[in-house]
Amino acid sequence: MQRRRILQGAAVTAAAAFLPASVRAVAAPPAETDYAGAQWFPASESNCTPSKRSSERPVDLVVIHVAQQTFSQTVGIFRNPAKQVSAHYVVRSGDGFVAQCVRERDIAWHAGSWDHNTRSIGIEHEGWIDQPAYFTHTMYERSAKLTADICERYGLPKDRAHIIGHHEVPGSDHTDPGPHWDWVRYVRLVNLA
């Protein structure tokens, strides 16, 4: 009986090895997401730090990013263990689809500052900072709902002191979300969500 289980397990493992990497990544066991409006697209475990968000590291910020990539490229980068980068969520431009890539209890590597990584949730947005057409109304709405949900669950005020851009992280050399990101509109939508 035990030998049969071992042989069955080996057959399943061997069959999985013949699947293309893109299928294997999607075929990961489904996980419940922290945000009900998201679907699970796991980042490589090499691109984040397991944690339990103790009282020593409470979440007190949401960091807004623009990926400088398409949605698919961003998710692919997070899945690549050599890239050493991730965010908790990625929001697609056209339809506002939300992918969760890192559990909120874990530390995503998105802010460029260990201190800020340990106390924030990172949200990437498909697009480029110099192409405002990517900042669709649907993307703003869906992202704002996600941010509002995060703020409510962690008891954060829905304001610019607690919802910041990547460029506002001390020591950051990034410029995202860039000059075309409409902060007034975004924070208003977060408060209306």
Side-chain angles (χ1 to χ4, degrees):
M1 183 77 135
Q2 184 177 4
R3 180 172 193 243
R4 188 160 135 188
R5 283 191 196 134
I6 292 170
L7 290 174
Q8 286 173 336
V12 169
T13 302
F18 290 105
L19 293 172
S22 60
V23 173
R24 283 195 309 267
V26 172
E32 261 188 56
T33 58
D34 295 300
Y35 174 63
Q39 288 188 24
W40 184 239
F41 280 67
S44 168
E45 292 178 2
S46 299
N47 294 339
C48 59
T49 302
S51 180
K52 291 201 176 169
R53 297 279 189 184
S54 68
S55 60
E56 296 172 15
R57 294 181 177 164
V59 170
D60 64 0
L61 293 170
V62 177
V63 180
I64 302 299
H65 302 267
V66 172
Q68 299 293 98
Q69 301 287 333
T70 65
F71 175 89
S72 297
Q73 290 168 329
T74 304
V75 170
I77 288 167
F78 293 170
R79 287 183 170 170
N80 181 341
K83 294 296 185 176
Q84 299 194 345
V85 67
S86 63
H88 295 91
Y89 295 96
V90 181
V91 182
R92 194 162 52 204
S93 173
D95 60 2
F97 177 86
V98 177
Q100 183 170 0
C101 302
V102 176
R103 296 304 302 252
E104 289 181 14
R105 69 175 177 248
D106 295 330
I107 299 168
W109 300 348
H110 63 97
S113 157
W114 180 249
D115 175 61
H116 278 67
N117 283 344
T118 63
R119 59 192 190 96
S120 65
I121 301 296
I123 304 174
E124 284 282 2
H125 296 82
E126 176 182 33
W128 285 261
I129 64 170
D130 59 348
Q131 296 180 33
Y134 275 93
F135 305 153
T136 64
H137 179 69
T138 301
M139 185 200 69
Y140 273 119
E141 279 189 330
R142 300 280 170 79
S143 176
K145 286 180 182 178
L146 168 60
T147 297
D149 185 74
I150 292 166
C151 288
E152 288 165 10
R153 285 187 284 112
Y154 291 96
L156 305 179
K158 298 174 185 177
D159 60 24
R160 286 286 285 120
H162 296 87
I163 305 167
I164 66 170
H166 190 184
H167 70 286
E168 296 171 295
V169 173
S172 175
D173 62 354
H174 287 253
T175 59
D176 61 301
H180 299 292
W181 185 263
D182 189 341
W183 280 109
V184 172
R185 176 184 185 186
Y186 188 70
V187 172
R188 181 177 49 80
L189 288 170
V190 169
N191 280 280
L192 291 172

